[in-house]
Coordinates of all heavy atoms in Angstrom, one line a residue:
K1357 N 6.3 -9.8 -8.8 CA 6.3 -9.0 -7.5 C 7.4 -7.9 -7.6 O 8.4 -8.1 -8.1 CB 6.8 -10.0 -6.4 CG 5.9 -11.2 -6.1 CD 6.5 -12.1 -5.1 CE 5.8 -13.4 -4.9 NZ 6.4 -14.3 -3.9
L1358 N 7.0 -6.7 -7.2 CA 7.8 -5.6 -7.2 C 7.9 -5.0 -5.8 O 6.9 -5.0 -5.1 CB 7.4 -4.5 -8.2 CG 7.3 -4.8 -9.7 CD1 6.0 -5.4 -10.0 CD2 7.6 -3.6 -10.5
F1359 N 9.1 -4.4 -5.5 CA 9.2 -3.7 -4.2 C 9.7 -2.4 -4.5 O 10.9 -2.2 -5.0 CB 10.2 -4.4 -3.3 CG 10.2 -3.9 -1.9 CD1 9.3 -4.3 -0.9 CD2 11.2 -2.9 -1.5 CE1 9.4 -3.8 0.4 CE2 11.2 -2.4 -0.2 CZ 10.3 -2.8 0.7
V1360 N 8.8 -1.4 -4.4 CA 9.2 0.0 -4.8 C 9.7 0.8 -3.6 O 9.0 0.8 -2.6 CB 8.0 0.7 -5.4 CG1 8.3 2.1 -5.9 CG2 7.3 -0.1 -6.6
T1361 N 10.9 1.3 -3.7 CA 11.5 2.0 -2.6 C 12.1 3.3 -3.1 O 12.2 3.6 -4.2 CB 12.5 1.1 -1.9 OG1 12.9 1.7 -0.6 CG2 13.7 0.8 -2.7
A1362 N 12.7 4.1 -2.1 CA 13.4 5.3 -2.4 C 14.0 5.7 -1.1 O 13.6 5.2 0.0 CB 12.5 6.4 -2.9
S1363 N 15.0 6.6 -1.1 CA 15.7 7.0 0.2 C 14.6 7.7 1.0 O 13.7 8.3 0.5 CB 16.8 7.9 -0.1 OG 16.4 9.2 -0.5
V1364 N 14.8 7.6 2.4 CA 13.8 8.2 3.3 C 13.8 9.8 3.1 O 12.8 10.4 3.3 CB 14.2 7.9 4.7 CG1 15.5 8.5 5.2 CG2 13.1 8.3 5.7
E1365 N 14.9 10.4 2.7 CA 15.0 11.8 2.5 C 14.1 12.2 1.3 O 13.4 13.1 1.3 CB 16.4 12.3 2.2 CG 17.3 12.2 3.5 CD 17.8 10.8 3.7 OE1 17.7 9.9 2.9 OE2 18.4 10.6 4.9
V1366 N 14.2 11.4 0.2 CA 13.4 11.6 -1.0 C 12.0 11.5 -0.7 O 11.1 12.2 -1.1 CB 13.8 10.8 -2.2 CG1 12.8 10.8 -3.3 CG2 15.2 11.2 -2.7
R1367 N 11.6 10.4 0.0 CA 10.2 10.1 0.4 C 9.6 11.2 1.2 O 8.5 11.6 1.1 CB 10.1 8.7 1.0 CG 10.4 7.6 0.0 CD 10.1 6.2 0.5 NE 11.0 5.8 1.6 CZ 10.7 5.6 2.8 NH1 9.5 5.8 3.3 NH2 11.6 5.2 3.7
A1368 N 10.4 11.7 2.2 CA 10.0 12.7 3.0 C 9.7 14.0 2.3 O 8.7 14.7 2.5 CB 11.0 13.1 4.1
E1369 N 10.5 14.3 1.2 CA 10.3 15.5 0.4 C 9.0 15.4 -0.4 O 8.3 16.3 -0.6 CB 11.5 15.6 -0.6 CG 12.8 16.1 0.1 CD 13.9 16.2 -0.9 OE1 13.7 16.0 -2.1 OE2 15.1 16.5 -0.4
R1370 N 8.8 14.2 -0.9 CA 7.5 13.9 -1.7 C 6.3 14.1 -0.7 O 5.3 14.7 -1.1 CB 7.6 12.5 -2.3 CG 8.6 12.3 -3.3 CD 8.7 10.8 -3.7 NE 9.7 10.6 -4.8 CZ 10.1 9.4 -5.2 NH1 9.6 8.3 -4.6 NH2 11.0 9.3 -6.2
R1371 N 6.4 13.5 0.4 CA 5.3 13.6 1.4 C 5.0 15.1 1.7 O 3.9 15.5 1.8 CB 5.5 12.8 2.6 CG 4.4 12.9 3.7 CD 3.0 12.6 3.2 NE 2.9 11.4 2.4 CZ 2.8 10.2 3.0 NH1 2.7 10.1 4.3 NH2 2.6 9.1 2.3
L1372 N 6.1 15.8 2.0 CA 6.0 17.3 2.3 C 5.3 18.0 1.2 O 4.4 18.9 1.4 CB 7.4 17.8 2.6 CG 7.4 19.3 3.0 CD1 6.8 19.5 4.4 CD2 8.9 19.8 3.0
K1373 N 5.7 17.7 0.0 CA 5.1 18.4 -1.2 C 3.6 18.0 -1.3 O 2.8 18.9 -1.6 CB 5.8 17.9 -2.5 CG 5.3 18.6 -3.8 CD 6.2 18.2 -4.9 CE 5.8 18.8 -6.2 NZ 4.7 18.2 -6.8
E1374 N 3.3 16.8 -1.0 CA 1.9 16.4 -1.1 C 1.0 17.1 -0.1 O -0.1 17.6 -0.3 CB 1.8 14.8 -0.9 CG 0.4 14.3 -0.8 CD 0.4 12.9 -0.3 OE1 1.4 12.2 -0.3 OE2 -0.7 12.4 0.0
L1375 N 1.5 17.1 1.1 CA 0.9 17.8 2.2 C 0.6 19.3 1.9 O -0.5 19.8 2.1 CB 1.6 17.6 3.6 CG 1.7 16.3 4.2 CD1 2.7 16.2 5.3 CD2 0.3 15.7 4.6
R1376 N 1.7 19.9 1.5 CA 1.5 21.4 1.2 C 0.6 21.6 0.0 O -0.1 22.6 0.0 CB 2.9 22.0 0.9 CG 3.8 22.1 2.1 CD 5.1 22.6 1.8 NE 5.9 22.9 3.1 CZ 7.2 23.2 3.2 NH1 7.9 23.3 2.1 NH2 7.7 23.5 4.3
E1377 N 0.5 20.7 -1.0 CA -0.4 20.9 -2.1 C -1.8 20.7 -1.6 O -2.8 21.3 -2.2 CB -0.1 19.9 -3.2 CG 1.2 20.2 -4.0 CD 1.5 19.1 -5.0 OE1 0.9 18.0 -4.9 OE2 2.4 19.3 -5.9
R1378 N -2.0 20.0 -0.5 CA -3.3 19.8 0.1 C -3.7 20.9 1.1 O -4.7 20.8 1.7 CB -3.4 18.4 0.7 CG -3.5 17.3 -0.4 CD -3.1 16.0 0.2 NE -3.9 15.7 1.4 CZ -3.5 14.6 2.3 NH1 -2.5 13.9 2.0 NH2 -4.3 14.4 3.3
G1379 N -2.7 21.9 1.2 CA -2.9 23.0 2.2 C -2.7 22.6 3.6 O -3.3 23.3 4.5
I1380 N -2.0 21.5 3.9 CA -1.8 21.1 5.2 C -0.4 21.6 5.7 O 0.6 21.2 5.1 CB -1.8 19.5 5.3 CG1 -3.2 19.0 4.8 CG2 -1.5 19.1 6.8 CD1 -3.3 17.5 4.8
P1381 N -0.3 22.4 6.7 CA 1.0 22.8 7.2 C 1.9 21.7 7.6 O 1.4 20.8 8.2 CB 0.6 23.7 8.4 CG -0.9 24.1 8.2 CD -1.5 22.9 7.5
A1382 N 3.2 21.8 7.3 CA 4.0 20.7 7.7 C 5.5 21.3 7.8 O 5.9 22.1 7.0 CB 4.0 19.6 6.6
I1383 N 6.2 20.7 8.8 CA 7.5 21.1 9.0 C 8.4 20.0 8.5 O 8.3 18.8 8.8 CB 7.8 21.3 10.5 CG1 6.9 22.4 11.1 CG2 9.3 21.7 10.8 CD1 7.0 22.6 12.6
P1384 N 9.4 20.4 7.6 CA 10.2 19.3 7.0 C 10.8 18.3 7.9 O 10.8 17.1 7.7 CB 11.3 20.2 6.2 CG 10.6 21.4 5.9 CD 9.7 21.7 7.1
S1385 N 11.4 18.9 9.0 CA 12.1 18.0 10.0 C 11.1 17.0 10.6 O 11.4 15.9 10.9 CB 12.8 18.8 11.1 OG 11.9 19.6 11.7
D1386 N 9.9 17.5 10.9 CA 8.8 16.6 11.5 C 8.4 15.5 10.5 O 8.2 14.4 10.9 CB 7.6 17.5 11.9 CG 7.9 18.4 13.1 OD1 9.0 18.2 13.7 OD2 7.1 19.3 13.4

Side-chain angles (χ1 to χ4, degrees):
K1357 303 177 188 178
L1358 296 91
F1359 189 88
V1360 183
T1361 188
S1363 71
V1364 68
E1365 292 79 13
V1366 168
R1367 292 188 290 114
E1369 287 178 5
R1370 291 172 180 171
R1371 177 53 53 82
L1372 181 65
K1373 182 172 182 282
E1374 175 189 349
L1375 292 172
R1376 288 178 171 171
E1377 287 177 347
R1378 288 160 52 193
I1380 301 174
I1383 299 173
S1385 59
D1386 288 347

